[in-house]
Amino acid sequence: MNFYMILGIFLLFLLMAINLLMFISFIKQGDERRKMIVQKAGNNTFAITAVYLVFCLIEDIIKSCTQAVPMKGMNPFIVLTVMSIMYFVQLLYFKRKYGA
């Protein structure tokens, strides 16, 4: 096997693990501080994702109108992975900030 193929497979499994950890952190129970940290990280991730999706939509509309380029769909795995990475970074930040 080629080095780049092994690296690609490793990255795919790493990104899938991050997605899985995001969902596990939603399910995990804890005290009020843990719930607040998860809520803040989730709220910030949702806001960032919503702004990103609106930006992509506006960009597609502008390209469609000005350059006659058809609107493209978004890859759901990529969007979910980016959301998971943002959530993970936010979770680490708020855990460090509030000491959970």
Side-chain angles (χ1 to χ4, degrees), residues 34-64:
R34 169 133 174 69
K35 289 179 184 178
M36 180 195 63
I37 290 169
V38 169
Q39 182 180 7
K40 283 186 177 245
N43 289 344
N44 287 348
T45 302
F46 175 74
I48 292 169
T49 304
V51 169
Y52 169 71
L53 292 174
V54 168
F55 174 76
C56 287
L57 179 66
I58 292 171
E59 180 186 25
D60 280 349
I61 290 171
I62 290 173
K63 281 183 179 180
S64 177

Short mmCIF file of all heavy atoms in Angstrom, two decimals, residues 34-64:
data_model
loop_
_atom_site.label_atom_id
_atom_site.label_comp_id
_atom_site.label_asym_id
_atom_site.label_seq_id
_atom_site.Cartn_x
_atom_site.Cartn_y
_atom_site.Cartn_z
N ARG A 34 -20.84 20.67 33.77
CA ARG A 34 -20.62 19.91 32.53
C ARG A 34 -21.71 20.19 31.51
O ARG A 34 -21.44 20.35 30.33
CB ARG A 34 -20.58 18.42 32.85
CG ARG A 34 -20.62 17.56 31.60
CD ARG A 34 -19.60 16.49 31.60
NE ARG A 34 -19.71 15.57 30.50
CZ ARG A 34 -19.46 15.85 29.22
NH1 ARG A 34 -19.14 17.06 28.88
NH2 ARG A 34 -19.56 14.94 28.30
N LYS A 35 -22.95 20.24 31.98
CA LYS A 35 -24.06 20.54 31.07
C LYS A 35 -23.92 21.94 30.47
O LYS A 35 -24.20 22.15 29.29
CB LYS A 35 -25.39 20.40 31.80
CG LYS A 35 -25.76 18.98 32.11
CD LYS A 35 -27.07 18.89 32.85
CE LYS A 35 -27.39 17.45 33.24
NZ LYS A 35 -28.62 17.33 34.00
N MET A 36 -23.46 22.91 31.28
CA MET A 36 -23.28 24.27 30.78
C MET A 36 -22.16 24.31 29.74
O MET A 36 -22.29 24.97 28.70
CB MET A 36 -22.93 25.22 31.93
CG MET A 36 -22.73 26.66 31.48
SD MET A 36 -21.92 27.70 32.68
CE MET A 36 -20.33 26.96 32.82
N ILE A 37 -21.08 23.58 29.99
CA ILE A 37 -19.96 23.55 29.04
C ILE A 37 -20.40 22.95 27.72
O ILE A 37 -20.12 23.50 26.64
CB ILE A 37 -18.77 22.77 29.65
CG1 ILE A 37 -18.15 23.57 30.79
CG2 ILE A 37 -17.74 22.44 28.60
CD1 ILE A 37 -17.16 22.79 31.62
N VAL A 38 -21.12 21.82 27.77
CA VAL A 38 -21.61 21.18 26.54
C VAL A 38 -22.59 22.10 25.82
O VAL A 38 -22.57 22.22 24.59
CB VAL A 38 -22.24 19.81 26.87
CG1 VAL A 38 -22.98 19.25 25.67
CG2 VAL A 38 -21.18 18.83 27.34
N GLN A 39 -23.44 22.79 26.58
CA GLN A 39 -24.42 23.69 25.97
C GLN A 39 -23.73 24.86 25.29
O GLN A 39 -24.07 25.22 24.16
CB GLN A 39 -25.40 24.19 27.02
CG GLN A 39 -26.46 25.10 26.46
CD GLN A 39 -27.42 25.60 27.54
OE1 GLN A 39 -27.20 25.36 28.72
NE2 GLN A 39 -28.46 26.28 27.13
N LYS A 40 -22.74 25.46 25.95
CA LYS A 40 -22.04 26.59 25.33
C LYS A 40 -21.28 26.16 24.08
O LYS A 40 -21.31 26.85 23.06
CB LYS A 40 -21.07 27.22 26.34
CG LYS A 40 -21.74 28.09 27.36
CD LYS A 40 -20.69 28.78 28.22
CE LYS A 40 -21.38 29.69 29.19
NZ LYS A 40 -21.06 31.06 28.93
N ALA A 41 -20.61 25.01 24.16
CA ALA A 41 -19.88 24.51 22.99
C ALA A 41 -20.85 24.21 21.85
O ALA A 41 -20.57 24.53 20.69
CB ALA A 41 -19.07 23.27 23.36
N GLY A 42 -21.99 23.60 22.16
CA GLY A 42 -22.99 23.30 21.13
C GLY A 42 -23.58 24.55 20.52
O GLY A 42 -23.78 24.63 19.31
N ASN A 43 -23.89 25.55 21.37
CA ASN A 43 -24.45 26.80 20.85
C ASN A 43 -23.48 27.51 19.92
O ASN A 43 -23.87 28.00 18.86
CB ASN A 43 -24.84 27.72 22.01
CG ASN A 43 -26.05 27.24 22.75
OD1 ASN A 43 -26.80 26.39 22.28
ND2 ASN A 43 -26.25 27.75 23.95
N ASN A 44 -22.22 27.59 20.34
CA ASN A 44 -21.23 28.27 19.49
C ASN A 44 -21.01 27.51 18.18
O ASN A 44 -20.90 28.12 17.12
CB ASN A 44 -19.91 28.42 20.24
CG ASN A 44 -19.97 29.47 21.32
OD1 ASN A 44 -20.91 30.24 21.39
ND2 ASN A 44 -18.98 29.49 22.17
N THR A 45 -20.96 26.19 18.26
CA THR A 45 -20.79 25.39 17.05
C THR A 45 -21.97 25.57 16.11
O THR A 45 -21.80 25.71 14.89
CB THR A 45 -20.62 23.90 17.41
OG1 THR A 45 -19.49 23.77 18.27
CG2 THR A 45 -20.42 23.06 16.18
N PHE A 46 -23.18 25.58 16.65
CA PHE A 46 -24.36 25.80 15.82
C PHE A 46 -24.32 27.17 15.15
O PHE A 46 -24.61 27.28 13.96
CB PHE A 46 -25.64 25.67 16.66
CG PHE A 46 -26.88 25.99 15.90
CD1 PHE A 46 -27.38 25.10 14.96
CD2 PHE A 46 -27.53 27.19 16.08
CE1 PHE A 46 -28.52 25.40 14.23
CE2 PHE A 46 -28.67 27.51 15.36
CZ PHE A 46 -29.17 26.60 14.44
N ALA A 47 -23.95 28.20 15.90
CA ALA A 47 -23.89 29.55 15.32
C ALA A 47 -22.85 29.63 14.21
O ALA A 47 -23.12 30.19 13.13
CB ALA A 47 -23.58 30.57 16.42
N ILE A 48 -21.68 29.06 14.43
CA ILE A 48 -20.63 29.09 13.42
C ILE A 48 -21.07 28.31 12.18
O ILE A 48 -20.88 28.76 11.04
CB ILE A 48 -19.32 28.50 13.99
CG1 ILE A 48 -18.75 29.44 15.05
CG2 ILE A 48 -18.29 28.27 12.89
CD1 ILE A 48 -17.61 28.83 15.87
N THR A 49 -21.69 27.15 12.38
CA THR A 49 -22.16 26.34 11.26
C THR A 49 -23.26 27.05 10.48
O THR A 49 -23.27 27.02 9.24
CB THR A 49 -22.65 24.97 11.76
OG1 THR A 49 -21.60 24.34 12.49
CG2 THR A 49 -23.07 24.09 10.61
N ALA A 50 -24.18 27.70 11.18
CA ALA A 50 -25.26 28.43 10.50
C ALA A 50 -24.69 29.56 9.64
O ALA A 50 -25.11 29.74 8.49
CB ALA A 50 -26.25 28.97 11.52
N VAL A 51 -23.74 30.31 10.18
CA VAL A 51 -23.12 31.40 9.42
C VAL A 51 -22.38 30.83 8.21
O VAL A 51 -22.46 31.37 7.10
CB VAL A 51 -22.18 32.23 10.31
CG1 VAL A 51 -21.32 33.18 9.50
CG2 VAL A 51 -22.98 32.99 11.35
N TYR A 52 -21.68 29.71 8.39
CA TYR A 52 -20.96 29.08 7.29
C TYR A 52 -21.91 28.63 6.18
O TYR A 52 -21.65 28.84 5.00
CB TYR A 52 -20.15 27.89 7.82
CG TYR A 52 -19.57 27.01 6.75
CD1 TYR A 52 -18.53 27.46 5.95
CD2 TYR A 52 -20.08 25.74 6.52
CE1 TYR A 52 -17.99 26.65 4.96
CE2 TYR A 52 -19.55 24.93 5.53
CZ TYR A 52 -18.52 25.40 4.76
OH TYR A 52 -18.00 24.60 3.77
N LEU A 53 -23.04 28.02 6.56
CA LEU A 53 -24.00 27.56 5.57
C LEU A 53 -24.65 28.72 4.82
O LEU A 53 -24.86 28.65 3.60
CB LEU A 53 -25.06 26.68 6.23
CG LEU A 53 -24.57 25.33 6.75
CD1 LEU A 53 -25.68 24.62 7.50
CD2 LEU A 53 -24.03 24.47 5.63
N VAL A 54 -24.96 29.80 5.53
CA VAL A 54 -25.52 30.99 4.86
C VAL A 54 -24.49 31.58 3.89
O VAL A 54 -24.82 31.95 2.76
CB VAL A 54 -25.98 32.03 5.91
CG1 VAL A 54 -26.27 33.37 5.25
CG2 VAL A 54 -27.19 31.53 6.66
N PHE A 55 -23.23 31.65 4.31
CA PHE A 55 -22.18 32.15 3.44
C PHE A 55 -22.05 31.29 2.18
O PHE A 55 -21.96 31.82 1.07
CB PHE A 55 -20.84 32.19 4.19
CG PHE A 55 -19.68 32.57 3.33
CD1 PHE A 55 -19.48 33.89 2.94
CD2 PHE A 55 -18.78 31.62 2.88
CE1 PHE A 55 -18.42 34.25 2.14
CE2 PHE A 55 -17.72 31.95 2.07
CZ PHE A 55 -17.54 33.27 1.70
N CYS A 56 -22.07 29.96 2.35
CA CYS A 56 -21.98 29.06 1.19
C CYS A 56 -23.17 29.22 0.27
O CYS A 56 -23.03 29.19 -0.95
CB CYS A 56 -21.85 27.62 1.65
SG CYS A 56 -20.25 27.22 2.35
N LEU A 57 -24.35 29.40 0.83
CA LEU A 57 -25.55 29.59 0.02
C LEU A 57 -25.46 30.89 -0.79
O LEU A 57 -25.74 30.90 -1.99
CB LEU A 57 -26.79 29.62 0.91
CG LEU A 57 -28.12 29.84 0.21
CD1 LEU A 57 -28.43 28.66 -0.69
CD2 LEU A 57 -29.22 30.04 1.22
N ILE A 58 -25.05 31.97 -0.15
CA ILE A 58 -24.91 33.25 -0.85
C ILE A 58 -23.85 33.14 -1.94
O ILE A 58 -24.05 33.62 -3.06
CB ILE A 58 -24.57 34.38 0.15
CG1 ILE A 58 -25.78 34.64 1.05
CG2 ILE A 58 -24.14 35.64 -0.58
CD1 ILE A 58 -25.49 35.57 2.21
N GLU A 59 -22.74 32.47 -1.64
CA GLU A 59 -21.69 32.29 -2.63
C GLU A 59 -22.20 31.50 -3.84
O GLU A 59 -21.94 31.87 -4.99
CB GLU A 59 -20.50 31.55 -2.00
CG GLU A 59 -19.36 31.31 -2.96
CD GLU A 59 -18.27 30.47 -2.35
OE1 GLU A 59 -18.55 29.69 -1.41
OE2 GLU A 59 -17.13 30.57 -2.83
N ASP A 60 -22.96 30.43 -3.60
CA ASP A 60 -23.52 29.64 -4.69
C ASP A 60 -24.51 30.44 -5.52
O ASP A 60 -24.54 30.33 -6.75
CB ASP A 60 -24.20 28.38 -4.15
CG ASP A 60 -23.21 27.29 -3.82
OD1 ASP A 60 -22.02 27.42 -4.20
OD2 ASP A 60 -23.62 26.30 -3.18
N ILE A 61 -25.33 31.24 -4.87
CA ILE A 61 -26.31 32.07 -5.60
C ILE A 61 -25.59 33.09 -6.47
O ILE A 61 -25.95 33.28 -7.64
CB ILE A 61 -27.28 32.75 -4.62
CG1 ILE A 61 -28.21 31.71 -4.00
CG2 ILE A 61 -28.08 33.84 -5.31
CD1 ILE A 61 -29.06 32.23 -2.88
N ILE A 62 -24.57 33.72 -5.93
CA ILE A 62 -23.82 34.72 -6.71
C ILE A 62 -23.12 34.07 -7.90
O ILE A 62 -23.18 34.58 -9.03
CB ILE A 62 -22.81 35.46 -5.81
CG1 ILE A 62 -23.56 36.37 -4.84
CG2 ILE A 62 -21.82 36.27 -6.64
CD1 ILE A 62 -22.68 37.02 -3.79
N LYS A 63 -22.48 32.93 -7.67
CA LYS A 63 -21.81 32.23 -8.78
C LYS A 63 -22.82 31.77 -9.82
O LYS A 63 -22.55 31.83 -11.02
CB LYS A 63 -21.02 31.03 -8.26
CG LYS A 63 -19.71 31.38 -7.65
CD LYS A 63 -18.98 30.13 -7.24
CE LYS A 63 -17.63 30.47 -6.63
NZ LYS A 63 -16.91 29.26 -6.23
N SER A 64 -23.97 31.33 -9.37
CA SER A 64 -25.00 30.87 -10.29
C SER A 64 -25.52 32.02 -11.16
O SER A 64 -25.76 31.85 -12.35
CB SER A 64 -26.15 30.23 -9.52
OG SER A 64 -27.18 29.84 -10.37
#
